[in-house]
Amino acid sequence: MRWIQLLIFGALGSFILAAQDCKNKDTCSSCIQTPNCMWCGTPGNITDGDKELDRCVKRQDAFQWREICGAENIYEPENYFEMLVNNELTKAGVLAGSAAAGGAASGSASSSEETIVQLKPQRVAMKLRVQEAYSMQVNYHQAMDYPVDLYYLMDLSKSMEDDKESLSQLGNFLAEEMQKLTQNFRLGFGSFVDKVVMPYVSTVPSKLMGFFNTSLNCIHPCGVRCNMQLPQGATTPFATEVDAAPVSGNLDAPEGGFDAIMQAIVCQRDIQWRDEARRLLVFSTDAGFHYAGDGKLGGIVKPNDGECHMDGNGEYYTHSKLQDYPSVSQINHVAKSHQINIIFAVTQEQTAVYSRLAQMIEGSSFGELTANSSNVVELVKEEYQKITSKVELKDNATKPISIRYFSKCKGLVEKETSECKGLRVGDTVDFRLEVTVGKCPANPSEWNQIIGIYPVGLRESLIIDLEMLCDCKCEREGDPGYVAGADECNGQGTFMCGVCSCDEGFFGRNCECGSNTPWGTAGVFNTSSCRAPGAQATCSGRGTCSCGECKCEERPNPDEEIEGKFCQCTNFLCDRHNGLLCAGPDHGKCVCNECECEPGWTGPACNCEDSQENCINPDNGDECSGQGKCECNKCKCFETVEGRYSGKWCEDCPTCKGKCVAYKACVQCQIFETGELTQEECWTNCTLFNATAVPVAEVEEEGERLCTFFDENDCRFTFVYGYDVNKEPVVRVQQTLECPPKLDILGIVLGVIGAIVAVGLALLLMWKVLTTIHDRREFARFEKERMMARWDTGENPIYKQATSTFKNPTYGGK
């Protein structure tokens, strides 16, 4: 739901902003430059009773305004469209004279050749207002046998010798295949190598004059040569010219192909391109290309001028050594302006380079040749079919004009596109164009423009004569609504379209304010009379000071008003409650920045009920239990040394018991049938409330209190008490008692005895294990000592003899 609210608020904001667009426009031109606005040029004020109306308003808001202003004084220019040239589409092309039989070459179509129309209409006139789009229909029909001029431009360096031989053999076949696509077909041939300067070509005289002729069967190299113009009629000479064209040689890998492309495109008369024909330029090479800047290596620094420089016979390029190679942008520019479709027919190792180049040149494509160009016919035919199977509309419109294209192409659903593919000869495609003027240029000379819309690769175009509706005729000198030095402007301005345009140094609705008025001296205007006493801001920051008086600004929302001598009062700057001004229209309204509350409501934002009913404690009838004060029909509790009072009526405090003790006995007897009261006493004494059993007793509303007690069985019971709308007590009791578990004495005694026996047995077992381990260790030690004894097993170790022997130390043995 959050995003839906944002969407609604955004749409509402956009609507309010759009409604404000027409307001505060002080001239007719600024008014009509705003979408959907119109201007009233009636002299004097426009009033409806006591209310002054705006001169610039929205069309949909102007029903009463139109009657007051008068139809003759309303300036409401509408978009205008006029069809100037709208020739019907040609269903089939017409052959030029004896196109099949042959004839003399001609630079343009024969006078007997009818004009072929594939784009309709051809010229229109428009007058458009700012940001008000105008839609128009454009039809394209691909005519049958539409004229085609194909100029084959070939690299004749030594590495292309086998390609030349293939092309000469396939020349007639190429012409035959193309004539199957269109009978109105012409074919020409040109060649190139490179600039005859170092380091591109060796300039050693022996190389130029002898080596090329003898060793390599080559001729003197040249930059660009037109071997055969586009003939009108027979195509048989093409194969002969290709076969007769000798190859040449150069030193570096790149070739001078850009020079050749430039001359083949711009030399319209020498090549004999027809005005009404699809122009194909097939560029065949097995090498890269030099481009702008490479000429510096040969000492050529003059940039390419993009002009035709063929010799008097229209055969050789004369400025090869005088100016640099063209740039990619120059090639794109001339190809686009002359509507040339370039087909780059290159070998496999060059496809990566020329595929990117084709993307940079409008209307161009590329195909891959075999090593000896044996597939050239299939390649040209395939690329031609790609070109003719689609149509793409482009234009030369610049800001602030924008054109959007829509079409169904061959489908059923219209989409925004300027290109349709998959077409066949005879198909018709309908485009819808939306032309929009974004804004009026500052320079009035740019208010009239001529825009061309053309299919890529064709000479046809739709011309739009566009006039931007940026001013009113009553703002032009000479119109009856234009009066210079008018009395309505006190002679200090020009009266036009019903308002004054003041001269420099004067201002005001009638140019009545200026340096010679009490409100200004020496060009400095005094605004002290527009400031409230003690205020710093002029007109409270909500208006402008005009001749000593405040003119309050208008708000985007028409329901919001600014009033007062100093624009100090508003009906929208009051306190709000829950986002509503003065808590909503049912509670109060905003008058001069303060809320005036309706009866029954009070407070700064009229959000408080004018009553103290909700502040009376039903137990004692005291307001806020004497422990607080009633504000906005709610108790605001005091804070004491013992703590802060709380509760709906400030009846609770840290040491207060409330009604818990009083309700305890009745809760026990009503719900649990226990306690100090018998059933008869319960029916007699507990009539103040009827307790209700609930799964869990919790505080749910402000003013309720939670009570907890233990009964005679040491079971805990919990209940909550509060008050209903009639201030009658309501008691909710947790239906389950929380009792401590009962002790099993016999189990405890048996458990203790069992534990003592188990501990004794465990100790005996531990003693037995330890003594066994000790005995085994002692026996092992005894066995070890016995095994280590070294006495004779035949002698008793404890036996002693009966006699003793002593030796006399002085006896010498004599």
Side-chain angles (χ1 to χ4, degrees):
M1 294 298 295
R2 177 66 176 172
W3 68 270
I4 296 178
Q5 294 176 352
L6 293 174
L7 184 61
I8 294 174
F9 290 146
L12 181 61
S14 300
F15 174 78
I16 294 174
L17 182 60
Q20 177 65 7
D21 286 342
C22 296
K23 294 190 176 184
N24 299 326
K25 304 298 181 184
D26 53 2
T27 63
C28 183
S29 57
S30 63
C31 178
I32 67 169
Q33 288 181 25
T34 305
N36 206 27
C37 295
M38 56 185 183
W39 177 268
C40 179
T42 300
N45 297 337
I46 311 172
T47 58
D48 182 11
D50 296 333
K51 184 178 180 181
E52 184 174 352
L53 303 179
D54 295 320
R55 288 189 176 273
C56 185
V57 298
K58 284 281 184 184
R59 289 170 177 166
Q60 60 267 28
D61 301 336
F63 179 76
Q64 185 70 22
W65 181 90
R66 288 180 183 272
E67 296 183 358
I68 297 173
C69 181
E72 69 280 2
N73 297 314
I74 295 177
Y75 293 92
E76 184 185 7
E78 299 282 350
N79 289 343
Y80 170 82
F81 177 84
E82 181 182 358
M83 195 80 69
L84 300 180
V85 181
N86 189 28
N87 296 327
E88 290 298 324
L89 298 170
T90 303
K91 299 303 180 183
V94 180
L95 295 180
S98 56
S106 174
S108 61
S110 171
S111 59
S112 64
E113 184 177 4
E114 296 181 5
T115 301
I116 299 176
V117 178
Q118 296 187 120
L119 192 67
K120 175 186 177 182
Q122 293 79 45
R123 194 175 191 109
V124 298
M126 287 185 182
K127 295 181 180 180
L128 299 183
R129 289 188 59 176
V130 172
Q131 296 181 15
E132 293 187 4
Y134 186 86
S135 294
M136 65 169 293
Q137 293 292 327
V138 175
N139 310 113
Y140 171 80
H141 176 83
Q142 188 172 184
M144 297 180 63
D145 289 329
Y146 189 77
V148 175
D149 288 349
L150 190 152
Y151 192 77
Y152 200 99
L153 192 58
M154 188 173 189
D155 174 11
L156 285 187
S157 58
K158 182 64 177 177
S159 59
M160 290 288 287
E161 186 173 11
D162 55 344
D163 300 80
K164 181 184 75 72
E165 294 176 357
S166 297
L167 182 60
S168 64
Q169 296 172 5
L170 297 172
N172 291 334
F173 181 56
L174 173 62
E176 292 173 2
E177 289 297 313
M178 292 300 297
Q179 284 181 340
K180 291 179 182 179
L181 301 175
T182 173
Q183 297 183 35
N184 199 345
F185 172 70
R186 302 199 310 181
L187 187 61
F189 176 65
S191 60
F192 65 92
V193 180
D194 210 340
K195 297 180 182 297
V196 190
V197 295
M198 289 290 290
Y200 317 115
V201 172
S202 176
T203 57
V204 177
S206 61
K207 295 286 185 181
L208 290 175
M209 301 303 296
F211 183 72
F212 281 99
N213 292 328
T214 59
S215 301
L216 298 177
N217 192 25
C218 296
I219 65 163
H220 188 294
C222 65
V224 180
R225 182 186 180 191
C226 176
N227 299 71
M228 186 184 81
Q229 298 172 332
L230 289 168
Q232 181 176 355
T235 56
T236 304
F238 176 80
T240 305
E241 288 292 340
V242 175
D243 184 60
V247 296
S248 184
N250 63 330
L251 296 179
D252 61 345
E255 312 289 4
F258 272 20
D259 273 344
I261 294 176
M262 176 64 73
Q263 295 305 303
I265 294 176
V266 299
C267 295
Q268 298 283 300
R269 181 176 300 177
D270 298 303
I271 303 299
Q272 297 187 5
W273 295 107
R274 287 180 291 180
D275 291 336
E276 293 184 0
R278 188 181 293 275
R279 304 174 175 187
L280 304 180
L281 176 62
V282 180
F283 180 84
S284 177
T285 184
D286 63 348
F289 50 84
H290 285 295
Y291 52 90
D294 287 357
K296 294 180 180 179
L297 296 174
I300 303 173
V301 297
K302 183 179 180 181
N304 193 288
D305 58 8
E307 300 293 337
C308 179
H309 296 288
M310 301 298 285
D311 61 8
N313 297 324
E315 185 175 359
Y316 289 101
Y317 177 40
T318 59
H319 282 50
S320 178
K321 301 180 182 179
L322 302 179
Q323 59 183 14
D324 197 3
Y325 301 96
S327 65
V328 175
S329 61
Q330 282 180 300
I331 296 296
N332 177 57
H333 173 72
V334 296
K336 183 168 60 174
S337 59
H338 291 85
Q339 298 299 318
I340 303 290
N341 294 109
I342 303 177
I343 301 175
F344 294 105
V346 297
T347 53
Q348 181 181 7
E349 58 271 14
Q350 299 298 330
T351 55
V353 174
Y354 283 92
S355 62
R356 291 194 292 269
L357 178 62
Q359 296 173 3
M360 300 178 184
I361 300 177
E362 182 179 297
S364 63
S365 60
F366 82 99
E368 183 177 327
L369 284 173
T370 57
N372 61 351
S373 299
S374 59
N375 67 329
V376 64
V377 176
E378 291 78 7
L379 187 149
V380 173
K381 183 178 177 181
E382 180 181 349
E383 293 302 320
Y384 173 76
Q385 289 176 339
K386 287 182 182 179
I387 293 171
T388 57
S389 65
K390 72 174 182 179
V391 59
E392 181 181 7
L393 296 185
K394 288 201 173 185
D395 58 76
N396 59 357
T398 57
K399 289 185 178 180
I401 301 171
S402 63
I403 301 178
R404 299 175 64 191
Y405 298 88
F406 301 85
S407 179
K408 295 181 181 179
C409 292
K410 304 303 293 181
L412 300 176
V413 180
E414 183 182 72
K415 59 182 180 180
E416 184 171 356
T417 180
S418 62
E419 180 181 11
C420 289
K421 298 181 179 180
L423 305 181
R424 296 181 180 179
V425 175
D427 285 346
T428 300
V429 180
D430 299 327
F431 288 94
R432 182 172 65 86
L433 277 58
E434 284 190 1
V435 185
T436 307
V437 177
K439 65 177 182 179
C440 288
N443 187 356
S445 64
E446 300 178 8
W447 292 354
N448 292 273
Q449 294 190 16
I450 297 178
I451 302 170
I453 298 175
Y454 57 91
V456 174
L458 293 178
R459 299 283 290 176
E460 299 180 63
S461 63
L462 163 63
I463 304 299
I464 300 178
D465 298 321
L466 178 62
E467 178 184 347
M468 306 179 196
L469 299 176
C470 297
D471 66 344
C472 304
K473 62 179 182 178
C474 54
E475 294 177 322
R476 302 170 188 170
E477 190 173 354
D479 188 86
Y482 182 97
V483 182
D487 294 337
E488 292 87 347
C489 306
N490 294 307
Q492 307 296 339
T494 302
F495 187 75
M496 52 185 178
C497 301
V499 296
C500 288
S501 176
C502 301
D503 296 338
E504 186 177 357
F506 295 88
F507 66 100
R509 175 172 293 182
N510 302 110
C511 304
E512 70 275 15
C513 302
S515 58
N516 58 347
T517 64
W519 296 283
T521 57
V524 179
F525 304 104
N526 184 8
T527 59
S528 59
S529 60
C530 294
R531 290 194 294 270
Q536 296 294 327
T538 302
C539 300
S540 304
R542 305 188 188 103
T544 57
C545 186
S546 177
C547 299
E549 295 182 356
C550 285
K551 182 179 180 181
C552 301
E553 64 183 21
E554 296 185 9
R555 298 286 296 174
N557 187 345
D559 295 332
E560 296 180 354
E561 298 179 353
I562 301 175
E563 299 176 330
K565 180 180 179 181
F566 305 106
C567 303
Q568 73 276 16
C569 292
T570 72
N571 66 344
F572 56 88
L573 291 180
C574 295
D575 291 337
R576 296 176 181 266
H577 178 70
N578 292 334
L580 297 176
L581 192 67
C582 298
D586 295 336
H587 290 214
K589 60 181 179 180
C590 183
V591 179
C592 199
N593 306 333
E594 293 184 359
C595 288
E596 287 188 358
C597 301
E598 297 292 336
W601 297 96
T602 185
C606 299
N607 60 312
C608 301
E609 295 183 33
D610 191 9
S611 171
Q612 295 181 343
E613 181 180 359
N614 292 335
C615 296
I616 304 301
N617 190 334
D619 291 337
N620 51 30
D622 294 337
E623 180 180 317
C624 299
S625 304
Q627 306 296 340
K629 62 179 180 177
C630 188
E631 293 184 359
C632 201
N633 205 18
K634 289 185 179 181
C635 287
K636 185 176 181 180
C637 303
F638 298 144
E639 187 172 0
T640 64
V641 178
E642 298 178 352
R644 184 181 181 87
Y645 284 88
S646 60
K648 184 176 181 179
W649 300 287
C650 302
E651 71 277 13
D652 293 335
C653 66
T655 59
C656 296
K657 294 184 179 180
K659 295 291 185 179
C660 290
V661 176
Y663 292 164
K664 173 186 175 184
C666 291
V667 166
Q668 280 186 278
C669 71
Q670 287 184 2
I671 301 300
F672 305 109
E673 298 182 356
T674 60
E676 59 191 37
L677 298 178
T678 64
Q679 289 299 312
E680 291 78 8
E681 293 174 337
C682 185
W683 294 338
T684 304
N685 299 329
C686 300
T687 59
L688 184 62
F689 63 86
N690 289 322
T692 304
V694 295
V696 179
E698 295 179 345
V699 174
E700 297 178 356
E701 298 180 2
E702 184 181 4
E704 294 183 338
R705 184 166 182 177
L706 180 67
C707 305
T708 301
F709 293 98
F710 290 90
D711 61 9
E712 58 273 12
N713 297 322
D714 206 23
C715 294
R716 186 173 66 177
F717 61 95
T718 304
F719 64 91
V720 173
Y721 73 89
Y723 298 89
D724 58 14
V725 293
N726 297 322
K727 298 188 177 180
E728 296 293 335
V730 176
V731 180
R732 300 191 305 276
V733 184
Q734 182 170 309
Q735 61 189 11
T736 304
L737 291 172
E738 298 178 11
C739 299
K742 295 182 178 180
L743 297 178
D744 187 359
I745 303 300
L746 179 60
I748 294 174
V749 172
L750 294 177
V752 171
I753 295 173
I756 294 173
V757 172
V759 170
L761 292 175
L763 292 175
L764 288 174
L765 179 62
M766 290 177 59
W767 174 81
K768 180 62 178 176
V769 170
L770 291 176
T771 54
T772 301
I773 293 172
H774 180 266
D775 291 343
R776 288 183 177 181
R777 286 180 177 178
E778 289 294 328
F779 179 75
R781 186 166 55 250
F782 167 75
E783 286 292 327
K784 183 179 180 180
E785 290 177 352
R786 187 175 66 84
M787 293 299 295
M788 293 178 64
R790 292 293 183 266
W791 59 81
D792 187 2
T793 57
E795 180 180 354
N796 188 348
I798 62 175
Y799 171 77
K800 292 185 178 181
Q801 292 182 355
T803 60
S804 299
T805 301
F806 296 94
K807 290 183 178 182
N808 185 0
T810 61
Y811 177 69
K814 296 180 179 180

